[in-house]
Amino acid sequence: GKKLKLAVAGKGGVGKTTVAAGLIKIMASDYDKIYAVDGDPDSCLGQTLGLSIEEAYAITPLIEMKDEIREKTGDGGLLILNPKVEGDLDRYGRYIDDKIFLIRMGEIKKGGSQCYCRENSFLGSVVSALFLDKKEAVVMDMGAGIEHLTRGTAKAVDMMIAVIEPNLNSIKTGLNIEKLAGDLGIKKVRYVINKVRNAQEEELIKKHLPEDKVLGIIPYNELFIELSLKGEAIWQSTNPAFVNLNDIYQKLRLEVG
């Protein structure tokens, strides 16, 4: 069957890395292998998936793989723009368990005195290889700017999930993610609303977002938040949030088809 390719985006603090990690864990029962891609330097997907903070940070981010970047993008004056990386993906991260393979992107380099064309073209090639290769499932956790995706890779994204909180600022961020995703040609953008406390907050969501775009609502949950702050593997607890997340996953599967 089709291997799911998901992107999960949102601002720091809304719980998107927690949602991404939960989905990855749930998907692990459907697939032999999932690439978990940490595309947000401000969060830590590895830790949320159960690595210690030391183990998570011991994985070299792609952007810092200097030898690999040099070898792949050409050593002389010429820059190879689309280096071939397909066969090498498993050198670029590590297995967290027998199914989940974690890759860290690192911080995209912007301008400045040095040209970062090499780093960025290497990153771009890895993202293309992950999304355009039909063989494995991919879940990529990214910031609200969704800067790791391009028009080329976007067409392979089955769904962009914007994780937001029930307040106007966060809804605005979500709509912006939806717009950026639409500009890249991503067909399905859906919302997961996290930390919903009451009926007023549900009303606010209904007022601003069409119902068919809301994939699910996760109620505010002290335990969930406490565990995420400690970076503990939240999906291990018999946490009500996981019941929600499971429903969200089932709905997502139906929508992606």
Side-chain angles (χ1 to χ4, degrees):
K2 186 169 172 356
K3 301 290 193 284
L4 266 185
K5 311 273 181 181
L6 302 177
V8 182
K11 273 214 168 103
V14 297
K16 70 166 171 80
T17 301
T18 306
V19 168
L23 287 172
I24 289 164
K25 278 287 163 186
I26 293 166
M27 281 167 68
S29 54
D30 282 348
Y31 297 110
D32 294 334
K33 181 176 189 179
I34 299 170
Y35 282 106
V37 187
D38 189 343
D40 183 356
D42 297 330
S43 64
C44 188
L45 183 60
Q47 205 187 342
T48 315
L49 283 166
L51 293 179
S52 71
I53 195 156
E54 293 76 20
E55 288 172 318
Y57 283 105
I59 300 168
T60 308
L62 297 179
I63 200 95
E64 288 168 24
M65 296 183 174
K66 296 201 175 21
D67 297 343
E68 192 67 32
I69 291 169
R70 203 172 303 123
E71 180 198 315
K72 289 290 181 193
T73 57
D75 220 348
L78 284 175
L79 167 67
I80 300 166
L81 275 177
N82 301 305
K84 293 278 163 279
V85 297
E86 285 81 356
D88 299 307
L89 289 175
D90 286 5
R91 300 215 313 254
Y92 300 156
R94 63 160 276 195
Y95 276 101
I96 285 189
D97 56 23
D98 55 350
K99 290 187 170 188
I100 299 170
F101 189 88
L102 179 70
I103 291 178
R104 287 179 67 205
M105 302 292 287
E107 189 124 29
I108 287 193
K109 305 280 197 274
K110 298 255 189 345
S113 55
Q114 203 183 346
C115 167
Y116 291 106
C117 310
R118 287 179 192 282
E119 283 87 341
N120 292 341
S121 78
F122 175 62
L123 250 63
S125 289
V126 173
V127 174
S128 298
L130 288 163
F131 279 101
L132 301 176
D133 168 39
K134 305 287 179 273
K135 290 192 289 289
E136 308 296 353
V138 177
V139 178
M140 186 171 189
D141 177 31
M142 49 173 58
I146 69 172
E147 50 270 289
H148 287 298
L149 292 173
T150 59
R151 283 194 159 284
T153 47
K155 59 175 182 282
V157 176
D158 293 309
M159 189 183 280
M160 163 69 74
I161 298 168
V163 180
I164 63 171
E165 293 177 336
N167 63 60
L168 286 174
N169 237 345
S170 200
I171 290 170
K172 214 160 88 185
T173 301
L175 292 168
N176 192 46
I177 291 171
E178 185 177 351
K179 185 190 175 307
L180 292 171
D183 292 346
L184 288 178
I186 295 176
K187 302 271 185 292
K188 283 195 169 82
V189 181
R190 296 291 181 268
Y191 292 88
V192 168
I193 327 293
N194 193 18
K195 307 184 198 176
V196 176
R197 295 168 198 256
N198 52 40
Q200 280 108 305
E201 291 186 338
E202 286 201 37
E203 281 310 307
L204 181 74
I205 295 300
K206 286 200 179 96
K207 194 174 140 191
H208 293 280
L209 297 173
E211 206 176 325
D212 60 342
K213 287 203 173 156
V214 176
L215 203 55
I217 285 178
I218 299 176
Y220 183 85
N221 173 333
E222 276 303 337
L223 177 66
F224 202 51
I225 289 161
E226 198 181 308
L227 291 172
S228 20
L229 285 175
K230 283 197 285 201
E232 282 176 23
I234 334 181
W235 35 262
Q236 285 170 338
S237 55
T238 49
N239 195 312
F242 285 100
V243 178
N244 296 97
L245 214 44
N246 216 353
D247 293 345
I248 286 168
Y249 177 63
Q250 301 312 330
K251 195 170 166 199
L252 178 162
R253 290 243 52 150
L254 286 172
E255 286 208 29
V256 171

